[in-house]
Amino acid sequence: MPFLIETFDKPDHQALRQEVRPAHLDYLDANANLLLACGAKLSDDGATASGGIYLVDLESREEAERFIQADPFHQAKLFAEVHVVRWRQAYLNRQNTL
C-alpha cells in the first residue's frame, strides 16, 4: 500500500544536506524497488532544497517510518518534521489509474 512521506528540513541546514546527499542517493538507489517516486522540494528559483517527498510502496505505516528513519538525511538530523500518510494513487504519468 502506498504511503506519502513529506520531510521538512531544519532552517539553515543546506551545508548538512549537501554533505549527506551522496549517502542519501546511495540509500535511494539501494531501495529503488520501494520507490514509486521521490524528490526534493525546491525554492521557486530551484536553487535551494527545503525537504522532500517520497511515495513508497510498503505494507504498513511502521515500515514507512522505518524506511525514512534509515535514510541518511534522517540519521544526520536534517529534518525538523516528517509526515507519513497513506496515499491513494489516482493518476500516474498523466494516466488515470483508478
Side-chain angles (χ1 to χ4, degrees):
M1 75 188 61
F3 285 86
L4 179 144
I5 302 170
E6 185 175 13
T7 63
F8 301 81
D9 290 4
K10 292 176 182 172
D12 303 316
H13 277 65
Q14 284 300 306
L16 177 60
R17 174 176 271 278
Q18 290 307 312
E19 177 185 327
V20 179
R21 188 171 184 262
H24 164 73
L25 294 176
D26 287 345
Y27 178 74
L28 295 179
D29 283 343
N31 290 282
N33 61 313
L34 304 176
L35 299 172
L36 301 172
C38 70
K41 300 184 301 184
L42 301 175
S43 58
D44 286 344
D45 65 3
T48 306
S50 61
I53 293 177
Y54 307 66
L55 296 173
V56 294
D57 188 18
L58 294 164
E59 293 303 313
S60 68
R61 170 182 296 282
E62 292 76 21
E63 287 183 38
E65 289 171 350
R66 282 193 299 272
F67 171 85
I68 196 62
Q69 289 167 359
D71 186 313
F73 278 167
H74 192 287
Q75 294 181 344
K77 302 192 183 322
L78 174 63
F79 304 139
E81 285 183 66
V82 175
H83 299 171
V84 177
V85 296
R86 288 271 312 263
W87 175 72
R88 177 177 44 224
Q89 179 180 305
Y91 276 79
L92 184 64
N93 294 327
R94 299 180 182 96
Q95 298 293 314
N96 185 325
T97 61
L98 293 176

